Amino acid sequence: MKNSKINITTIIILFSMLFIFNACKDEETPLPPNEEELITTVSLAFENLTSGAIDTFIFRDADGPGGNAPTQFDTIQLDAATTYHLTTTLLNESVSPSEDITVEVQDEGVDHQFFYTVDGGLDLIIEYDDTDANGNPIGIHNIVTTGVGGAGAFTVILKHQPGIKDGNITTGDTDVEVDFETKVN
């Protein structure tokens, strides 16, 4: 009977210690949320790969999304049957000096990807010309080839896909999205 009493006491003590140990276990510390940067300016520089001429088209909204209307919203004008090197730059011009957000996108390339879409009567082919540390496209540098003349929308979308980058435009949060009116002549 004494052995049975000791065994029950031992079991109660062990369960108590197990309960106390689990109750005192540290909670997992959540990762800090990614601080979103204010993007006020999207700049698209198209370098004609034949002539070397560079044309830059800008979307500028000094106070960011909402609020006042953009202060600059260029129409992209490209030549038909031409190949361009496209460099996309993002800025926060609400601070002085302005902050180049593109550097952060490049540094965190495994978590970001630009997507470019066209609609309307645009005959454009867009190919990525850069990769992140995992060999996946980022989209800061691209090759754009125009076909016949036409007009439509050229949309620039930057997706934030921390740990989930999969090349899918629907994955992750949208950091910026701008539809440029575009004409190819």
Side-chain angles (χ1 to χ4, degrees), residues 10 44 52 78 86 100 110-111 116 121 126 166 173 177:
T10 304
L44 304 177
L78 302 173
L86 166 63
D100 187 349
V110 295
D111 295 333
Y116 301 90
I126 303 139
D166 62 359
D173 296 324
E177 180 172 346

Side-chain angles (χ1 to χ4, degrees), residues 40-144:
T40 62
T41 306
V42 177
S43 173
L44 304 177
F46 288 84
E47 177 185 9
N48 183 316
L49 292 181
T50 302
S51 70
I54 299 174
D55 291 311
T56 302
F57 307 98
I58 294 175
F59 168 83
R60 178 174 288 125
D61 187 356
D63 62 355
N68 297 319
T71 56
Q72 183 175 1
F73 204 164
D74 296 336
T75 297
I76 297 172
Q77 306 244 4
L78 302 173
D79 294 329
T82 304
T83 302
Y84 297 89
H85 178 262
L86 166 63
T87 302
T88 301
T89 303
L90 305 176
L91 301 173
N92 176 2
E93 295 184 308
S94 71
V95 295
S96 182
S98 64
E99 182 181 7
D100 187 349
I101 306 299
T102 317
V103 173
E104 181 180 327
V105 172
Q106 178 75 47
D107 290 347
E108 298 176 2
V110 295
D111 295 333
H112 289 92
Q113 184 170 350
F114 280 99
F115 292 90
Y116 301 90
T117 64
V118 295
D119 66 9
L122 285 178
D123 181 12
L124 292 178
I125 297 172
I126 303 139
E127 301 170 88
Y128 291 106
D129 195 30
D130 59 7
T131 57
D132 63 22
N134 295 328
N136 297 314
I138 301 173
I140 296 171
H141 300 281
N142 308 277
I143 301 297
V144 176

Side-chain angles (χ1 to χ4, degrees), residues 5-56:
K5 190 172 185 179
I6 290 174
N7 287 340
I8 292 174
T9 304
T10 304
I11 290 172
I12 291 173
I13 290 171
L14 286 174
F15 275 109
S16 297
M17 290 175 62
L18 184 63
F19 176 77
I20 291 170
F21 176 75
N22 284 330
C24 296
K25 195 173 182 180
D26 288 336
E27 294 286 327
E28 284 190 33
T29 305
L31 296 174
N34 186 45
E35 185 175 316
E36 285 191 32
E37 304 290 340
L38 177 62
I39 298 170
T40 62
T41 306
V42 177
S43 173
L44 304 177
F46 288 84
E47 177 185 9
N48 183 316
L49 292 181
T50 302
S51 70
I54 299 174
D55 291 311
T56 302

